[in-house]
Amino acid sequence: MTTTLQLGLAIGGGLVLATVVAYNTWSARKNAPKQPDPLPIPIEPSAPDIERRDPAFDGEELPPLPTPERKPGMDALIDVLAPIALEQPVSGDAALAAMPPTRRVGSKPFAIEGLNVATQQWETPVAGQRYSQLQAGVQLANRTGALNEIEFSEFVIKTQAYADTVSGLPEFPDMREEVARGRELDQFANDHDAQLGFTLRAVHAAWSPGYVQQHAARLGFVPSLIPGRMLLPSSTPGMPPILGLAFDAQAALAEDPDQSALREVTLSLDVPQVDRAEQPFVRLRDTAAALAEAMDGSLTDDRGYPLQRDALDGIGASLEQLYDTLDSRELAAGSVLARRLFS
């Protein structure tokens, strides 16, 4: 027969166990990553006269748009150009058939253009057109560095082989002068490149990937094809995104992403790639502040130091000077040439 003492101990033990279970449940809920709000039940619109527009995407990371920007032509400002004289016009089909299998020389883009007989415009050869002149080009510099002597020699070999195929005669500039131009351009690019990154850190509870994505989507971000990355599209179709947002890709790919705990996300701006008319730094600053408030986060630089208003004002002033310098060099941020050079 159970004694009063044994019964009391059993009840007491049960209460302790219940208290421990309740505490553990409370603690688990408190420390669990924040989850996105439930999606509202869709309601059929009563006035179906509102046109839905899909957001624009970055052409290099997302499916191409139906009206992409025309491929930029070569320019003596950032390219080595080698004219190819022709005895008679060549067809676009022949010019295309002679193209080398790779369009790079070392780490630099290589291209062939033709002067269209009908339009008198330089363009990448098109089937069905005819061209009175051709030219080959290789970029002087990009973010991998300046064109070097070996790459210039490869350019000469590739261009000569192409010219032989179309019965043309190429004329090459002086290698030393072009390599020197490449080094000067590369130095300018190094001195005036800017890629900003702000880090948003969770102050209290961690975030789930869905929680981050939901808040970012409310500010206009769209998913990228790269796991853990979102983009704020440009207002102009086919142009690079204004901002990027990234978090741990492994969390995005987890079997149960809702249980993945994120404690930081990164906002980024590739300054030379985005037109200053988009006010990208203002967008970066406002977006970071909005996310910090909505997600209970703190804003820091990439070293973990809090970003104060004075520091942000200083960055903005420096960027205005950078924009002016790029404009004066005919390499305005977001322009075709700037996007090619700073890539």
Side-chain angles (χ1 to χ4, degrees):
M1 174 177 266
T2 303
T3 66
T4 303
L5 177 61
Q6 289 174 322
L7 182 60
L9 290 175
I11 294 173
L15 290 174
V16 171
L17 179 60
T19 301
V20 170
V21 170
Y23 174 79
N24 288 339
T25 301
W26 172 83
S27 180
R29 288 179 178 176
K30 180 182 178 182
N31 296 320
K34 292 183 178 181
Q35 302 299 320
D37 296 331
L39 293 175
I41 299 175
I43 302 175
E44 292 295 328
S46 57
D49 58 345
I50 301 174
E51 180 183 1
R52 180 183 183 277
R53 295 184 179 272
D54 291 330
F57 298 115
D58 175 12
E60 293 196 358
E61 291 193 345
L62 297 172
L65 292 162
T67 56
E69 183 188 38
R70 177 187 175 276
K71 182 178 178 181
M74 293 184 290
D75 193 297
L77 185 65
I78 67 169
D79 294 301
V80 178
L81 299 179
I84 301 174
L86 300 170
E87 293 184 0
Q88 59 185 11
V90 300
S91 68
D93 300 80
L96 287 170
M99 288 284 192
T102 61
R103 306 294 171 82
R104 300 193 76 81
V105 171
S107 61
K108 309 300 184 294
F110 169 87
I112 297 288
E113 290 184 343
L115 184 63
N116 191 304
V117 172
T119 66
Q120 290 299 297
Q121 298 292 321
W122 287 98
E123 65 184 22
T124 300
V126 176
Q129 300 296 312
R130 293 182 63 78
Y131 300 95
S132 58
Q133 299 177 50
L134 296 171
Q135 65 180 2
V138 63
Q139 198 163 307
L140 284 165
N142 56 17
R143 279 176 171 160
T144 66
L147 183 78
N148 57 44
E149 289 84 353
I150 294 176
E151 289 173 326
F152 187 93
S153 298
E154 292 179 8
F155 167 65
V156 170
I157 293 171
K158 182 169 286 192
T159 301
Q160 184 65 63
Y162 180 84
D164 290 343
T165 305
V166 296
S167 301
L169 182 63
E171 180 182 350
F172 298 101
D174 182 79
M175 180 180 72
R176 289 174 296 180
E177 292 180 2
E178 295 303 298
V179 169
R181 277 210 310 139
R183 289 172 179 163
E184 189 276 332
L185 183 62
D186 181 57
Q187 185 61 56
F188 173 84
N190 286 336
D191 292 342
H192 298 88
D193 200 354
Q195 299 177 71
L196 301 180
F198 291 172
T199 300
L200 191 64
R201 302 181 190 276
V203 174
H204 297 107
W207 310 309
S208 69
Y211 183 81
V212 173
Q213 291 165 339
Q214 185 176 73
H215 281 282
R218 289 171 178 167
L219 296 175
F221 284 81
V222 296
S224 163
L225 292 182
I226 300 176
R229 182 167 167 78
M230 300 182 75
L231 305 171
L232 182 64
S234 168
S235 60
T236 303
M239 295 291 282
I242 299 173
L243 303 176
L245 181 149
F247 56 86
D248 183 12
Q250 294 301 317
L253 293 171
E255 185 174 338
D256 186 1
D258 288 345
Q259 299 306 311
S260 298
L262 299 172
R263 298 212 63 88
E264 66 179 42
V265 298
T266 301
L267 288 164
S268 59
L269 164 61
D270 193 339
V271 176
Q273 292 284 323
V274 184
D275 193 320
R276 72 191 298 183
E278 296 275 12
Q279 295 188 300
F281 181 70
V282 174
R283 302 283 291 275
L284 174 63
R285 187 171 179 170
D286 290 350
T287 298
L291 288 176
E293 180 177 0
M295 296 167 53
D296 188 23
S298 64
L299 189 62
T300 72
D301 61 18
D302 54 6
R303 296 172 297 175
Y305 295 113
L307 281 171
Q308 304 297 334
R309 180 173 180 175
D310 290 346
L312 293 173
D313 291 342
I315 294 173
S318 297
L319 286 183
E320 289 303 315
Q321 296 178 359
L322 174 60
Y323 286 132
D324 291 340
T325 302
L326 292 174
D327 289 346
S328 68
R329 186 67 183 256
E330 298 183 52
L331 291 166
S335 67
V336 168
L337 293 183
R339 283 157 38 213
R340 290 179 56 203
L341 176 61
F342 295 96
S343 64

